[in-house]
Amino acid sequence: MGEKEKANQARPTPLIENHSKQNPFSTFSLHVSDVAFKLAKAALLGNNTWPEVEKVRIEEFVNAFDYGDPAPSLAEKVACRVEQAAHPFRQQRNVLRVAMRTADVGRASGTPLQLTLLLDTSGSMERADRQESILRAMQVLTTQLTPQDTVTLIGFARQPRLIQDRLTGEALTNLPQLVKQTPSEGGTNLEEALLLGAEHARRQFVAGGQNRIVLLTDGAANLGDASPESLHELVVGLRQEGIAFDACGVGAEGLNDTVLEALTRQGDGRYYFLDKPEDADAGFARQLAGAFRPAARNVKVQVRFNERRVGNYRLFGYEKHRLKKEDFRNDKVDAAELAAAEAGVALYEIEPLAQGDGEIGEVSVRFQDMTTGQMVERTWTIPYQPGLPSLDQASPTLQLASTAAFLGEKLKRTAFGEMINLEELSQVLTNLRQCYGSSQRVAELIQMIEKVKEL
């Protein structure tokens, strides 16, 4: 890294706030992922190094945890929970957590899954840990399939090739063995793999089904045109045809996170990450199940802040998922998806005006209900609550979301990250250990914070 790059990395990102009188609306696509958190964990705990700033997406730190928010009834479709506490690092500011959770409905029995798997078989995949990660991922995948589903497997290195076309029924259990028998070779041509995958996905497309392409790769493409800009048109075209694009990154070393994150965002799909074989666990199974049974499509959130009660406000993260105010009800503007019983969480810092008038504002969500095809829109009030508790006295869920966001800000080297003194979170961390003692993910969060203190 040159001196200029080091200087740019060391310079904190400016703290930019919105003023409610000038812009009372905060609108974004409710994207749910945990990849950035996992990549940071691999860097801090695995390599004892600071993660790359461009790979730190704060919303993916906040959404790396299950907060256990209450689920709605099937009739309600979606539930919202809002909670607030006094900000620990900025005077006259509060932290505000907004959580949306969908109802617990399974994949409809009449909804087939048409899945096209693109498996990276380049030479770097010969590493034993990566082969084992892929094998375990395939074993998990087969547990999510039903006899009515169809899977096409394509391998790619210098050129893509069809390994198995349209596996169905009992043959789906052969997926792990097919992957195990596929030899590795040099080169990685992602462009040609996507073109062949798109061809087969279109060929087996079923109207009313779940049509998805899933890319499994361990690193950056080195053949063909693999720039996000060039591949954007293909992925967006697939999305418009009703074919979602997911990606599963395998191994932190050499992973082209920029390309995979951009393509899944543009394809309204899911982004997974396996750093080691053990990562293909129950949590990974739930992520796959969620992708295969989406409950809500084009999920958009809009918070309207009351200018008489709120001065400045700021949304943590979601920089690449923010929308215009008018996009909220423009159903031609695509947004993310939520699975059944899945929650998406956003965290704000707000400046409440004690001498103001009225409530903080209101939060709305709009999405397409996948069971009916109808658009659903609901709104909840965000109450003004004077005399809020300090963060270490707030609910465990708000403490957890805030701590995750603060760590993300610190790692991203933002201006707000410079204000954060991790030592002052000691009581909050003690509370998290007590409340989430059985959670491995929360333990990892605390370990990451301790590592940042060392570094």
Side-chain angles (χ1 to χ4, degrees):
M1 183 182 296
E3 293 303 318
K4 183 177 180 180
E5 287 79 5
K6 288 181 180 179
N8 288 337
Q9 189 176 49
R11 188 180 301 123
T13 305
L15 180 62
I16 300 175
E17 293 185 297
N18 295 279
H19 197 284
S20 62
K21 285 187 177 180
Q22 300 169 347
N23 182 19
F25 291 93
S26 172
T27 310
F28 59 95
S29 166
L30 189 55
H31 170 76
V32 176
S33 176
D34 63 358
V35 173
F37 179 87
K38 289 180 175 179
L39 288 172
K41 183 187 74 172
L44 287 168
L45 304 184
N47 297 325
N48 200 37
T49 60
W50 201 275
E52 297 175 47
V53 169
E54 62 271 17
K55 293 182 179 180
V56 177
R57 295 178 290 273
I58 297 170
E59 72 277 6
E60 295 183 18
F61 281 63
V62 175
N63 281 290
F65 302 90
D66 180 2
Y67 296 93
D69 290 302
S73 67
L74 296 182
E76 289 175 318
K77 306 293 186 184
V78 63
C80 176
R81 183 183 180 190
V82 295
E83 51 185 355
Q84 305 172 61
H87 201 301
F89 301 112
R90 300 192 70 195
Q91 292 186 350
Q92 298 180 320
R93 294 291 194 278
N94 292 344
V95 286
L96 165 69
R97 189 179 79 97
V98 178
M100 298 286 177
R101 188 178 180 92
T102 54
D104 188 4
V105 291
R107 176 152 60 106
S109 58
T111 305
L113 172 69
Q114 306 298 115
L115 191 61
T116 302
L117 296 178
L118 303 180
L119 176 63
D120 185 347
T121 59
S122 60
S124 57
M125 289 297 290
E126 288 184 314
R127 283 180 47 165
D129 58 337
R130 294 181 179 178
Q131 286 189 336
E132 183 63 23
S133 292
I134 289 291
L135 188 60
R136 290 198 192 184
M138 290 300 103
Q139 292 168 343
V140 171
L141 173 62
T142 58
T143 67
Q144 304 299 324
L145 300 174
T146 67
Q148 66 178 340
D149 298 332
T150 301
V151 177
T152 291
L153 179 62
I154 294 172
F156 71 96
R158 290 186 176 277
Q159 289 295 325
R161 59 190 178 89
L162 180 64
I163 297 173
Q164 188 68 52
D165 191 22
R166 305 189 197 189
L167 284 169
T168 58
E170 294 182 359
L172 291 170
T173 59
N174 295 332
L175 259 178
Q177 189 61 27
L178 285 170
V179 169
K180 191 174 183 180
Q181 293 173 348
T182 303
S184 300
E185 52 186 328
T188 307
N189 195 325
L190 178 57
E191 179 187 22
E192 291 296 327
L194 285 177
L195 289 171
L196 183 59
E199 177 186 331
H200 281 273
R202 292 185 178 111
R203 188 178 300 167
Q204 65 184 25
F205 182 88
V206 172
Q210 282 297 317
N211 300 275
R212 309 188 80 92
I213 294 175
V214 178
L215 168 69
L216 300 102
T217 182
D218 72 326
N222 53 21
L223 296 172
D225 189 347
S227 66
E229 296 78 13
S230 300
L231 300 176
H232 168 272
E233 186 175 347
L234 174 60
V235 172
V236 169
L238 288 168
R239 181 189 70 201
Q240 293 171 344
E241 296 173 44
I243 301 171
F245 179 84
D246 301 342
C248 179
V250 184
E253 183 182 346
L255 185 72
N256 196 331
D257 173 71
T258 301
V259 169
L260 298 185
E261 187 278 330
L263 292 181
T264 51
R265 172 164 39 86
Q266 292 153 358
D268 288 349
R270 300 300 181 107
Y271 183 16
Y272 319 102
F273 175 67
L274 302 174
D275 191 37
K276 50 187 182 299
E278 308 83 272
D279 291 338
D281 55 10
F284 179 68
R286 286 194 297 271
Q287 288 181 317
L288 287 180
F292 300 160
R293 54 170 190 160
R297 185 182 176 192
N298 279 2
V299 185
K300 301 171 186 175
V301 173
Q302 186 170 80
V303 179
R304 181 188 64 79
F305 289 101
N306 173 12
E307 63 183 52
R308 299 187 308 276
R309 179 61 78 183
V310 176
N312 292 303
Y313 68 89
R314 186 173 71 95
L315 173 62
F316 286 84
Y318 286 100
E319 288 87 358
K320 295 180 180 179
H321 303 276
R322 299 187 188 188
L323 303 171
K324 300 176 183 177
K325 168 192 170 183
E326 55 270 23
D327 291 341
F328 182 66
R329 293 192 177 91
N330 183 356
D331 298 329
K332 294 182 180 179
V333 175
D334 290 293
E337 65 180 23
L338 281 181
E342 186 171 40
V345 178
L347 191 75
Y348 286 87
E349 57 179 22
I350 63 173
E351 178 189 17
L353 303 177
Q355 305 304 317
D357 177 57
E359 306 293 2
I360 294 294
E362 59 185 21
V363 54
S364 302
V365 65
R366 182 177 175 85
F367 59 89
Q368 182 185 33
D369 178 10
M370 297 300 287
T371 59
T372 65
Q374 300 298 310
M375 298 304 297
V376 175
E377 184 175 327
R378 293 197 61 192
T379 299
W380 297 264
T381 297
I382 304 174
Y384 171 65
Q385 298 171 298
L388 285 172
S390 60
L391 185 62
D392 59 8
Q393 297 296 317
S395 68
T397 48
L398 184 52
Q399 292 184 53
L400 179 56
S402 300
T403 301
F406 295 161
L407 175 61
E409 293 273 1
K410 199 75 174 175
L411 295 176
K412 202 169 182 65
R413 301 177 185 269
T414 65
F416 173 62
E418 297 294 308
M419 303 178 191
I420 297 172
N421 183 347
L422 295 176
E423 297 292 344
E424 295 182 15
L425 290 176
S426 58
Q427 184 57 54
V428 172
L429 298 185
T430 297
N431 296 344
L432 294 180
R433 290 187 183 95
Q434 293 174 346
C435 294
Y436 298 99
S438 61
S439 170
Q440 179 181 348
R441 182 62 62 87
V442 174
E444 291 169 347
L445 171 66
I446 296 172
Q447 290 170 14
M448 290 163 70
I449 290 174
E450 297 300 332
K451 179 59 68 175
V452 169
K453 290 180 184 179
E454 293 178 18
L455 295 176

